[in-house]
Amino acid sequence: MESGNNVTYFVLLGLTQNPKVQNVLSVLFLFIYLLTLVGNLLIIVTIAVSETLNSPMYFFLASLSCMDVTYSTSITPRLISELLFGEKTISFESCMTQLFAEHLFAGSGVFLLLVMAYDRYVAICKPLHYLVVMRQRVCVVLLVVSWVGGFLHSVIQLSTIYGLPFCGPNVIDHYTCDMYALLELVCTDTYVIGLLVVANGGLICTIVFLLLLASYGIILHSLKNLNQEGRWKALQTCGSHITVVVCFFVPCIFMYVRPARTFPADKLLSVFFTVITPMLNPLIYSLRNSELTNAVKKLWRRNIISSVDT
């Protein structure tokens, strides 16, 4: 697939041109990125080695943490490098690769959140059928479907932008290869292309978000049939899921459910759901889930005891 353009690289303006602010942000984002890696990897390892966290919910939670790590890694290290060393240029191929990776992991995460809502619906509203409906093979298929959905979304986004003519200028007013920022550099009419991007990005986000709100609404309505202990446990689990959903989808909908043009607030919103949200997810799930918190403490105690014995 050949791209019809005269541009071989882009220049990313980044978040700010102030050197002092750049230094502060580089340290801050490095700290956030390390927290993202440690928090999500801790969840993955804890669920993998724990004998009690073997339900489908934790299988999907570990998968979400994996997506968060890969999603953050596709964006944050380059952002830190831009701030620290002033590496503003990115080749056309690297830009398209970053765009593909960003939408692959984010899109897969969107569909996985829908799967996790379905898992909670079956667990709370159909508890007697839960082990039959959410058996291991079904869980694996649902995870694969999430990845396939993210892959198709990313392929459509990439194929939409790749063949368009970039005649110059090549300066992107962003810290990453964002779809709308790239469309502003295309030297042809992008009205129809913009509609396709909105349909493939914003429309998907909106539909999935509404489905998630409806599913959690049904779940919360059904809690009246549970005893107080069961109701509290379900509220803890669903509360963490709903918090993650709102943190991700509200900025996403604002960014992509609109005409294909950029706004000054886009960079800050992008930082929130590309850098901060992957860090918040493990904190939200661990703080509101006593089973996961206890499993993490047990893992730490086991490692400390093993270190002392050796």
Side-chain angles (χ1 to χ4, degrees):
M1 183 169 58
E2 294 293 331
S3 58
N5 66 80
N6 300 322
V7 172
T8 58
Y9 69 93
F10 295 103
V11 178
L12 299 170
L13 290 183
L15 289 172
T16 178
Q17 304 301 314
N18 188 317
K20 292 183 179 180
V21 177
Q22 288 178 345
N23 291 334
V24 173
L25 289 178
S26 64
V27 174
L28 176 62
F29 290 152
L30 178 60
F31 178 71
I32 291 174
Y33 180 61
L34 292 176
L35 279 182
T36 301
L37 292 181
V38 172
N40 284 289
L41 291 176
L42 182 60
I43 286 180
I44 294 171
V45 172
T46 301
I47 293 174
V49 303
S50 175
E51 297 177 355
T52 58
L53 305 180
N54 52 11
S55 68
M57 180 183 73
Y58 293 109
F59 170 73
F60 293 131
L61 178 55
S63 302
L64 181 65
S65 291
C66 179
M67 290 180 183
D68 282 337
V69 168
T70 50
Y71 179 50
S72 180
T73 301
S74 69
I75 298 173
T76 309
R78 180 170 186 86
L79 171 59
I80 296 170
S81 178
E82 290 174 10
L83 293 168
L84 270 179
F85 308 112
E87 295 181 5
K88 302 292 186 181
T89 61
I90 182 172
S91 68
F92 181 85
E93 291 76 14
S94 297
C95 184
M96 295 299 108
T97 301
Q98 185 186 62
L99 182 71
F100 177 81
E102 176 184 348
H103 284 274
L104 169 64
F105 300 128
S108 300
V110 165
F111 293 115
L112 183 58
L113 287 173
L114 190 59
V115 169
M116 293 173 73
Y118 174 70
D119 170 72
R120 290 300 84 204
Y121 167 77
V122 178
I124 295 172
C125 300
K126 309 285 183 181
L128 298 179
H129 302 91
Y130 181 67
L131 294 179
V132 176
V133 175
M134 300 303 294
R135 56 190 182 275
Q136 186 177 15
R137 180 180 297 181
V138 173
C139 293
V140 172
V141 169
L142 290 174
L143 178 60
V144 171
V145 168
S146 299
W147 279 106
V148 171
F151 177 78
L152 292 176
H153 162 73
S154 188
V155 166
I156 293 172
Q157 294 289 77
L158 181 64
S159 60
T160 299
I161 196 78
Y162 189 88
L164 296 178
F166 293 91
C167 309
N170 63 343
V171 178
I172 301 177
D173 188 14
H174 213 287
Y175 65 87
T176 185
C177 290
D178 181 72
M179 282 293 294
Y180 285 179
L182 284 169
L183 284 176
E184 290 192 343
L185 303 181
V186 174
C187 49
T188 187
D189 182 55
T190 58
Y191 178 75
V192 176
I193 299 296
L195 292 179
L196 292 175
V197 171
V198 170
N200 186 45
L203 188 60
I204 290 177
C205 276
T206 303
I207 292 174
V208 173
F209 184 59
L210 292 176
L211 288 173
L212 288 169
L213 290 181
S215 64
Y216 284 119
I218 295 171
I219 291 171
L220 293 175
H221 182 263
S222 69
L223 294 182
K224 62 183 181 181
N225 301 322
L226 302 177
N227 57 36
Q228 186 173 359
E229 182 181 354
R231 190 182 300 120
W232 174 245
K233 185 177 180 180
L235 280 173
Q236 279 186 313
T237 306
C238 291
S240 58
H241 286 213
I242 293 171
T243 304
V244 169
V245 165
V246 171
C247 286
F248 182 85
F249 279 93
V250 171
C252 180
I253 290 173
F254 178 84
M255 288 281 295
Y256 294 109
V257 185
R258 69 181 197 211
R261 62 175 183 267
T262 58
F263 290 93
D266 287 354
K267 292 182 185 180
L268 293 178
L269 287 173
S270 294
V271 167
F272 184 78
F273 73 81
T274 61
V275 179
I276 298 177
T277 298
M279 176 199 67
L280 290 178
N281 287 353
L283 293 175
I284 293 169
Y285 282 113
S286 60
L287 291 175
R288 298 182 66 92
N289 189 311
S290 57
E291 288 183 349
L292 181 58
T293 303
N294 293 334
V296 171
K297 292 178 180 178
K298 185 177 180 181
L299 179 64
W300 274 103
R301 284 197 297 266
R302 184 190 307 171
N303 290 335
I304 292 172
I305 293 173
S306 298
S307 300
V308 172
D309 291 340
T310 55

